[in-house]
């Protein structure tokens, strides 16, 4: 199947072509047609499946011409060949004789749990919508609100937000949701994990009753299932891969290790994988800092990312990792959600996660889009029960390795 068979318009096809996306992923094949037909969608998909495009493309398709009544009306015909929507807008301001004063109102709202995910989704709208005039903005906490408010005041079609800042700006009167026609609740299970579910419950009644809703979640805990039933109207359920399925392209190795020996084991593995990008998971923020400090002291250049770091520090670390300036990142689970690097070769579980499904999310960071990947897992005596949970969930035994192996 190709993207054009999904009846995607030429400007979006061109953008996908620029990104060298040749075939739609499973979730895209299943979700895009139903979403474009206006149906509610319940997407059971984890990160790495291409779920962002599965909801972003139908939104861009729906609002790419729907904003004709707004300030760039009439100028669109002149846009043909304009390389990006920012340029197109600048052009419209200079030339459009039809420019009206009405401000664009938010037509699509996407709520996602972390700043990193929010930024990533916003980047996807930039990528997929670059030949359209859909205007989008992203808001999240931990940074000053004024630049975000200024952007909102200029008017946007699509708003991507984390729950706290969204409710805050609604409370201050900077955001009106009266015109929302599409609502996306992304990573719903993660919202629950992070304690945002109360915010979501508060937000839902503020949205217009008549709207299209798409909800994505890797897992379906009871509370999320309950919300989905009240939120979605006869949804089409689309599934990319069963929750516990672990990508076949990932080799999974296990090391039994005593806690004090973890650092030396980590260093020896990193030394063997000098050419790869490595993502190391630590259970705690303090632990991540400690690992990073030791590695840097041993002249292994790395950075730690976690919730105690400022937004700027996290973004810089992610950018350095993406550009290859830093090859090693030590992250906590929540901070790592925003990492989207195509050629991430190695994931190391320095500590085992408390929840078995988190293991699947973690190792799903590697082996993306058909690439191969390796996951190394360290397990102490105390962590053995967690390892059992993981093996039960994934129905796979990790290959046992020794330190020399
Ligand atoms: P997501 O699950 O939305 O976070 O996407 C995972 C990664 O897959 C991102 O880096 C996307 O840019 C990439 N991606 C999404 N759709 C496709 C596609 N059809 N072909 C190739 N890569 C894709």
């Amino acid at each position: 199947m190709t993207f054009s068979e999904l009846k995607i318009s030429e400007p979006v096809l061109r953008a996908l072509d620029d990104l060298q996306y040749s075939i739609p992923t499973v979730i895209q094949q299943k979700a895009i047609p139903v979403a474009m037909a206006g149906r509610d969608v319940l997407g059971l998909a984890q990160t790495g499946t291409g779920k962002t495009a599965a909801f972003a493309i139908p939104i861009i398709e729906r609002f790419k011409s729907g904003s004709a009544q707004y300030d760039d009306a009439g100028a669109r015909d002149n846009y043909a060949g304009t390389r990006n929507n920012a340029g197109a807008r600048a052009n419209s301001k200079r030339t459009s004789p039809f420019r009206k004063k009405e401000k664009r109102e938010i037509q699509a709202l996407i709520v996602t749990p972390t700043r990193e995910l929010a930024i990533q989704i916003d980047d996807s709208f930039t990528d997929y919508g670059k030949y359209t005039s859909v205007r989008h903005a992203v808001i999240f906490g931990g940074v000053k609100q004024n630049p975000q408010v200024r952007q909102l005041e200029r008017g946007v079609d699509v708003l991507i937000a984390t729950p706290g800042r969204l409710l805050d700006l609604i409370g201050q009167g900077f955001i009106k949701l009266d015109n929302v026609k599409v609502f996306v609740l992304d990573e719903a299970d993660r919202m629950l994990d992070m304690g945002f579910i109360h915010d979501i419950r508060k937000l839902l009644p503020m949205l217009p009753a008549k709207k299209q809703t798409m909800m994505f979640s890797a897992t379906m805990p009871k509370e999320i299932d309950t919300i989905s039933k009240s939120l979605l109207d006869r949804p089409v359920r689309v599934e990319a891969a069963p929750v516990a399925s672990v990508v076949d392209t990932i080799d999974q190795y296990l090391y039994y290790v005593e806690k004090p020996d973890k650092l030396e084991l980590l260093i020896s593995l990193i030394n063997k994988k000098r050419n790869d990008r490595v993502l190391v998971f630590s259970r705690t923020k303090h632990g991540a800092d400690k690992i990073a400090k030791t590695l840097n002291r041993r002249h292994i250049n790395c950075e730690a990312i976690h919730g105690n770091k400022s937004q700027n520090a996290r973004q810089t670390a992610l950018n350095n990792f993406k550009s290859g300036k830093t090859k090693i990142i030590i992250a906590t689970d929540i901070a790592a959600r925003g990492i989207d690097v195509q050629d991430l070769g190695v994931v190391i579980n320095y500590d085992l996660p408390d929840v078995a499904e988190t293991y699947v999310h973690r190792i799903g960071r590697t082996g993306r889009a058909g690439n191969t990947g390796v996951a190394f897992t360290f397990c102490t005596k105390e962590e053995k029960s967690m390892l059992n949970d993981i093996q039960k969930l994934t129905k796979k035994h990790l290959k046992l390795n020794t330190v020399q192996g």
Side-chain angles (χ1 to χ4, degrees):
M1 175 176 278
T2 60
F3 280 105
S4 53
E5 285 172 69
L6 292 175
K7 302 200 170 63
I8 292 169
S9 65
E10 191 279 330
V12 178
L13 285 178
R14 191 148 38 107
L16 296 174
D17 195 47
D18 289 354
L19 292 164
Q20 299 182 331
Y21 289 8
S22 46
I23 48 163
T25 65
V26 173
I27 191 92
Q28 290 161 6
Q29 292 184 22
K30 292 181 179 171
I32 290 174
V34 284
M36 280 178 34
R39 293 286 304 269
D40 279 7
V41 173
L42 175 61
L44 282 147
Q46 58 202 49
T47 324
T49 52
K51 68 180 165 64
T52 313
F55 64 77
I57 291 173
I59 290 174
I60 293 169
E61 289 292 340
R62 180 156 172 187
F63 300 115
K64 70 181 192 318
S65 49
S67 48
Q69 76 258 37
Y70 300 110
D71 62 2
D72 49 3
R76 188 170 341 262
D77 292 343
N78 302 330
Y79 292 169
T82 306
R83 292 295 301 174
N84 61 52
N85 48 1
R89 281 196 298 276
N91 204 20
S92 87
K93 295 223 165 79
R94 281 195 307 273
T95 59
S96 172
F98 305 106
R99 198 172 156 222
K100 290 182 185 167
K101 286 277 186 287
E102 298 115 276
K103 198 177 98 176
R104 294 180 183 216
E105 291 183 27
I106 299 162
Q107 318 222 39
L109 174 68
I110 297 149
V111 182
T112 193
T114 69
R115 315 163 199 194
E116 287 83 4
L117 277 166
I119 291 171
Q120 205 174 296
I121 295 169
D122 188 57
D123 287 345
S124 297
F125 273 89
T126 304
D127 286 343
Y128 309 145
K130 69 194 236 197
Y131 299 117
T132 72
S133 52
V134 170
R135 199 184 290 180
H136 53 97
V138 59
I139 60 168
F140 44 80
V143 293
K144 288 202 180 81
Q145 73 170 41
N146 287 354
Q148 297 177 355
V149 168
R150 278 198 296 276
Q151 227 183 338
L152 291 166
E153 280 171 345
R154 284 196 291 270
V156 295
D157 303 310
V158 179
L159 180 66
I160 301 120
T162 53
R165 179 57 58 96
L166 175 65
L167 287 176
D168 194 2
L169 294 186
I170 292 172
Q172 293 179 55
F174 291 118
I175 294 175
K176 298 254 174 303
L177 301 177
D178 310 349
N179 213 32
V180 168
K181 297 179 184 70
V182 182
F183 172 58
V184 178
L185 184 60
D186 185 38
E187 307 245 345
D189 53 349
R190 185 61 34 170
M191 297 273 190
L192 187 69
D193 278 0
M194 292 177 67
F196 289 145
I197 214 67
H198 182 66
D199 284 350
I200 297 300
R201 288 215 185 89
K202 217 157 119 189
L203 171 72
L204 297 181
M206 299 176 181
L207 292 159
K210 192 169 171 290
K211 62 184 174 304
Q212 178 184 21
T213 304
M214 294 187 252
M215 176 167 156
F216 290 84
S217 195
T219 58
M220 263 292 152
K222 221 168 130 207
E223 268 179 284
I224 296 301
D225 191 44
T226 311
I227 289 187
S228 80
K229 290 202 169 91
S230 68
L231 185 61
L232 301 167
D233 177 22
R234 287 164 293 132
V236 179
R237 192 182 160 106
V238 293
E239 209 162 329
V243 172
S245 85
V246 171
V247 193
D248 290 332
T249 49
I250 304 170
D251 281 327
Q252 300 171 62
Y253 294 104
L254 171 69
Y255 290 87
Y256 286 119
V257 61
E258 297 297 326
K259 205 170 170 192
D261 299 330
K262 281 187 175 182
L263 263 171
E264 285 309 318
L265 175 59
L266 177 68
I267 291 167
S268 82
L269 288 173
I270 285 174
N271 282 334
K272 280 186 196 149
K273 294 281 176 189
R274 280 274 167 185
N275 296 323
D276 283 301
R277 279 202 182 87
V278 181
L279 172 59
V280 181
F281 281 96
S282 156
R283 191 163 31 220
T284 64
K285 301 167 195 174
H286 174 68
D289 279 336
K290 216 169 115 189
I291 297 166
K293 219 163 138 185
T294 310
L295 293 186
N296 281 318
R297 219 184 292 130
R298 299 275 287 266
H299 306 292
I300 299 172
N301 181 24
C302 70
E303 293 188 67
I305 59 164
H306 53 67
N308 285 1
K309 300 252 171 184
S310 72
Q311 172 61 14
N312 281 349
R314 282 158 76 170
Q315 206 52 51
T316 308
L318 283 177
N319 291 344
N320 287 343
F321 193 53
K322 270 188 184 168
S323 71
K325 197 168 156 196
T326 314
K327 286 245 162 145
I328 302 159
I329 269 202
I330 325 292
T332 54
D333 286 302
I334 288 172
R337 295 291 282 200
I339 298 176
D340 176 26
V341 178
Q342 285 296 344
D343 53 349
L344 173 61
V346 184
V347 166
I348 299 181
N349 293 302
Y350 189 87
D351 300 308
L352 275 171
D354 294 325
V355 180
E357 279 150 2
T358 304
Y359 173 85
V360 180
H361 284 302
R362 285 183 178 185
I363 71 161
R365 303 270 143 196
T366 182
R368 282 188 168 201
N371 294 327
T372 54
V374 183
F376 296 119
T377 295
F378 297 180
C379 181
T380 61
K381 282 197 276 304
E382 295 75 29
E383 291 172 307
K384 261 201 113 167
S385 66
M386 297 175 215
L387 175 69
N388 291 341
D389 288 349
I390 290 167
Q391 300 195 134
K392 218 156 80 193
L393 176 79
T394 59
K395 298 190 181 72
K396 234 181 186 161
H397 274 267
L398 312 194
K399 281 178 235 162
L400 187 61
N401 242 7
T402 59
V403 179
Q404 290 76 29

